[in-house]
């Protein structure tokens, strides 16, 4: 039996890729400098704007999400600029590293694992900056490493009152829950292909406000391949400054068509339900979540402690070996101490039900006492069975 | 939610196709008259012989399983030949129809739905044929329509004692459980691509004994495209008499490599476990199986009555609409009266666990009283959790 199980990627990206999207990569290559590609790119960016709920310009970078983050840092700021970074996990730390690499002077609000950014703390800190020296505020929409969803709208409100650029890493958060770029006034927003887009990794989508474009004009930081200035200039012509990842672009076209057909409400709804089902199931089995606050629960991933003296890595190994289910490890100091269940993108209720059923078996086989098979499944069923 | 569920084919063929096999269809076309294709076909048939546990010649017909059945009838017999057909369901009736089309004189042993062929009845009937007028005995290894597994070995034993050709439709049964062509002395065995091979439909694999080849030499029935004589003649050269379905052949090569790597014991084992898990789960929910006899339970599919006054078609519709799970209808007089859950080919324990969880929800939402969510899942977990 063990030799023959299909693989199910329950990690927070890459998610499984639907066949329809996978096969789009096999389309004939075309010249990325020809008219057909130009039309394709212009159509694509228009559809991306709709999904991103923005009239801001959108560019597609042939780089993974981190490339998009670096583009935001290196394209929008100047040497020595002060910025504020609100970090709640490993990807928050990535903003700190990027700021350091580019010589920005970063003030950092750091939170314990599992906590969300407190908008009032951001407000208090910005209130002290009467000289408006802080040029940008960086944070994550969804912190993948700790399964925390930040309140982007509230954070944006206090930053807007101050005037700094609002830079949001929405790589794992985009499409998993609502993100109103224009209504909330977000300046730079980064999404990644391997998350709710259901694509392989390799593309970053960046939405840039008029205000950010002005900052881009005056940036003196070194940037070339990841230059938002160059990307924006070319995007107006349906072009990219450097050779784009053509097959991934084909797949992104397929994805945005599927997503547009489904509609944002349905996309948000299914992510919310899977999140609730997973949390309810894990709790019913007596497991402790890293982030117990339902109000800031990630729609994309759930982080959980192993029960009792069980080993998180052993749980993950046995889920993989026995059932073909890939779960994610913790990151940083949480490595080996938690495991994470991804439930975004091309993951559906059937997958969640199966994962909980398999997890019940694995936990009891590894020695968790008193676990009743089917109980966690029942909790998930109770969430998922609700009609539209 | 309803708008966005992935499709899970839990029907007795076609089964889901693994990506690795699906993508093999995209390989560049080649000339089926060239040396590369010849080598590919010779390799393929050698590997098929191993899986079929036979030294008999094996041909691949570019036709679905029924084409293989017709090839057996039209290629191995003569006008007016007497044959015996042991029919336990819809595909048994197909043998009867084929015999009629080709003017064979068929004696028929017919069984109630859910029953298996009784080898002693075959024996008794053949015993009366002292003149050896009966030239062939036809039956199914696995009757897909009623979820019944016949005892091929025992039936073959009594036919062997008589001397008639043993013709086995193993389309849905092959690989789901043991089939020893040489040891049991089977003369013509037909397998189909869309079952445990995990391919799309379109290919029939036919194994032909030396004894059957002699019958083929003297056949006077009309046959052309489905001629086993022509196929055997060409197969020796790694060729097919007519243009083969090249992309499906590529996929079959991929499949036999995967299956050979896994090994027959593991293949049989996983099918048996899924069958046991499904039966145990359905029974724990109080459902009545069409074939209650575990000894003749199909390893490929399980047929079950809807509980109480629930409608089988409504159950299937709701499973499809709400959860994206395709279940099979009954056939013939069982249409609308039962539903069938396929569990062969590229179906794995996770799929079975999810299907049972979803079925629990659907049954109670359609009004089945007293159903406890998670109970059927638990029964399936109890079967599937057993180590190797």
């Amino acid at each position: 039996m063990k030799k023959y199980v299909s693989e199910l990627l329950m990690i927070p990206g890459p998610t499984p890729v639907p066949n329809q999207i996978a096969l789009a990569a096999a389309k004939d290559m075309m010249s990325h400098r020809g008219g057909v590609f130009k039309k394709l790119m212009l159509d694509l960016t228009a559809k991306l704007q709709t999904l991103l709920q923005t009239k801001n310009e959108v560019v597609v970078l042939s780089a993974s999400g981190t490339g998009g983050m670096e583009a935001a840092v290196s394209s929008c700021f100047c040497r020595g600029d002060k910025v504020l970074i609100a970090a709640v996990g490993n990807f928050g730390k990535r903003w700190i590293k990027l700021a350091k690499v580019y010589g920005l002077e970063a003030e950092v609000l750091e939170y314990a694992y599992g906590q969300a950014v407190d908008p009032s703390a951001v407000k208090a800190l910005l209130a002290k900056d009467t000289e408006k020296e802080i040029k940008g505020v960086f944070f994550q929409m969804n912190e993948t490493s700790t399964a925390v969803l930040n309140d982007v709208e509230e954070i944006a409100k206090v930053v807007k009152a101050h005037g700094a650029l609002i830079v949001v890493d929405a790589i794992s958060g985009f499409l998993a829950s609502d993100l109103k770029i224009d209504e909330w006034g977000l300046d730079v927003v980064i999404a990644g292909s391997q998350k709710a887009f259901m694509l392989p990794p390799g593309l970053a989508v960046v939405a840039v406000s008029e205000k950010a474009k002005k900052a881009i004009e005056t940036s003196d930081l070194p940037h070339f391949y990841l230059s938002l200035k160059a990307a924006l200039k070319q995007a107006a012509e349906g072009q990219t400054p450097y050779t784009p990842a053509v097959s991934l672009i084909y797949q992104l076209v397929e994805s945005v068509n599927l997503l547009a057909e489904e509609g944002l409400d349905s996309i948000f709804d299914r992510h919310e339900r899977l999140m609730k089902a997973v949390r309810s199931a894990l709790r019913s089995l007596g497991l402790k979540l890293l982030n117990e606050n339902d109000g800031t629960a990630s729609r994309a991933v759930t982080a959980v402690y192993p029960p009792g003296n069980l080993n998180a890595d052993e749980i993950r190994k046995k889920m993989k070996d026995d059932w073909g289910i890939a779960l994610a490890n913790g990151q940083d100091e949480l490595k080996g101490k938690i495991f994470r269940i991804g439930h975004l993108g091309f993951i559906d209720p059937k997958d969640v039900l199966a994962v909980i059923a398999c997890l019940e078996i694995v936990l009891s086989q590894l020695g968790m006492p008193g676990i009743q098979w089917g109980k966690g499944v029942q909790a998930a069923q109770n969430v998922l069975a609700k009609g539209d």
Side-chain angles (χ1 to χ4, degrees), chain A:
Chain A
M1 200 70 143
K2 285 185 185 173
K3 289 184 220 160
Y4 206 84
V5 286
S6 62
E7 297 296 316
L8 177 59
L9 267 182
M10 297 291 290
I11 64 174
T15 89
V17 176
N19 261 16
Q20 193 176 339
I21 291 179
L23 294 174
K27 288 187 185 177
D28 283 337
M29 282 296 110
M30 62 168 71
S31 162
H32 53 288
R33 298 300 177 210
V36 178
F37 192 76
K38 175 180 171 170
K39 189 181 171 318
L40 180 155
M41 282 303 289
L42 291 173
D43 283 355
L44 174 62
T45 45
K47 284 171 180 164
L48 284 169
Q49 284 174 317
T50 305
L51 287 175
L52 285 155
Q53 305 184 63
T54 188
K55 290 196 172 74
N56 288 350
E57 284 196 59
V58 173
V59 295
V60 180
L61 304 179
S62 294
S64 67
T66 303
M69 292 171 74
E70 177 166 353
V73 171
S74 66
S75 296
C76 302
F77 297 93
C78 293
R79 222 170 296 263
D81 271 356
K82 270 184 99 165
V83 297
L84 168 59
I85 295 170
V88 302
N90 197 42
F91 291 96
K93 287 181 186 161
R94 192 157 295 180
W95 283 132
I96 301 172
K97 285 179 193 162
L98 279 165
K100 194 176 171 195
V101 164
Y102 284 94
L104 303 184
E105 192 186 317
E107 197 141 357
V108 176
L109 267 173
E110 234 177 326
Y111 292 86
Y113 291 132
Q115 298 285 305
V117 173
D118 175 7
S120 66
V122 176
K123 187 177 178 181
L125 215 149
L126 291 176
K128 286 188 227 162
D129 180 36
T130 49
E131 301 298 312
K132 307 286 181 195
E133 286 179 330
I134 294 176
K135 300 299 178 198
V137 177
F138 297 79
F139 58 98
Q140 269 65 36
M141 174 187 182
N142 182 74
E143 172 56 61
T144 322
S145 67
T146 58
V148 166
L149 178 69
N150 280 319
D151 190 338
V152 178
E153 184 177 10
E154 284 305 308
I155 302 170
K157 245 181 225 169
V158 304
V159 183
K160 244 187 137 47
H162 169 277
L165 282 184
I166 305 169
V167 184
V168 185
D169 159 10
I171 295 168
S172 64
F174 176 58
L175 290 177
S177 60
D178 205 1
L179 184 74
K180 297 186 194 297
I181 293 185
D182 289 359
E183 201 176 312
W184 300 348
L186 312 177
D187 293 304
V188 184
V189 171
I190 303 119
S193 55
Q194 79 277 28
K195 311 290 186 176
F197 279 125
M198 311 175 288
L199 249 60
L203 293 181
V205 173
V206 187
V208 185
S209 73
E210 284 304 313
K211 185 170 162 187
K213 280 169 77 177
K214 277 177 200 146
I216 287 169
E217 285 304 318
T218 59
S219 168
D220 63 0
L221 294 175
H223 50 247
F224 193 83
Y225 181 71
L226 297 173
S227 166
L228 289 181
K229 188 174 180 179
L232 286 163
K233 190 179 162 198
Q234 296 287 316
E237 300 298 314
Q239 291 285 301
T240 55
Y242 315 108
T243 310
V246 174
S247 65
L248 288 168
I249 301 273
Y250 291 161
Q251 293 182 295
L252 188 56
V253 169
E254 202 70 29
S255 161
V256 298
N257 287 338
L258 285 173
L259 293 166
E261 197 187 341
E262 183 186 2
L264 286 174
D265 287 345
S266 167
I267 297 169
F268 302 152
D269 181 56
R270 63 180 159 88
H271 281 95
E272 189 178 348
R273 284 209 218 182
L274 296 189
M275 171 273 281
K276 284 184 178 166
V278 168
R279 291 173 74 86
S280 176
L282 295 174
R283 281 173 171 155
S284 82
L285 296 175
L287 299 196
K288 189 176 149 43
L289 306 178
L290 176 62
N291 172 13
E292 285 286 6
N293 181 350
D294 290 334
T296 61
S298 168
R299 266 64 170 168
V301 59
T302 298
V304 59
Y305 290 102
N309 51 9
L310 262 56
N311 180 300
D313 291 343
E314 278 175 27
I315 293 170
R316 288 194 307 110
K317 184 175 187 314
K318 203 165 169 58
M319 285 292 281
K320 189 70 176 17
D321 290 349
D322 290 3
W323 304 96
I325 295 169
L327 302 179
N329 198 345
Q331 297 190 328
D332 274 344
E333 293 107 88
L334 291 171
K335 211 168 178 173
K337 295 197 180 132
I338 58 165
F339 61 95
R340 294 176 299 146
I341 303 175
H343 36 75
L344 81 166
F346 196 50
I347 292 295
D348 99 340
K350 295 189 287 296
D351 300 317
V352 166
L353 291 165
V355 165
I356 299 300
C358 296
L359 184 63
E360 290 175 347
I361 295 170
V362 165
L363 291 177
S364 64
Q365 287 180 342
L366 288 178
M368 181 182 178
I371 188 164
Q372 187 197 325
W373 291 0
K375 194 180 166 192
V377 175
Q378 197 183 79
Q381 284 173 312
N382 285 332
V383 173
L384 296 170
K386 282 181 194 146
D388 289 318

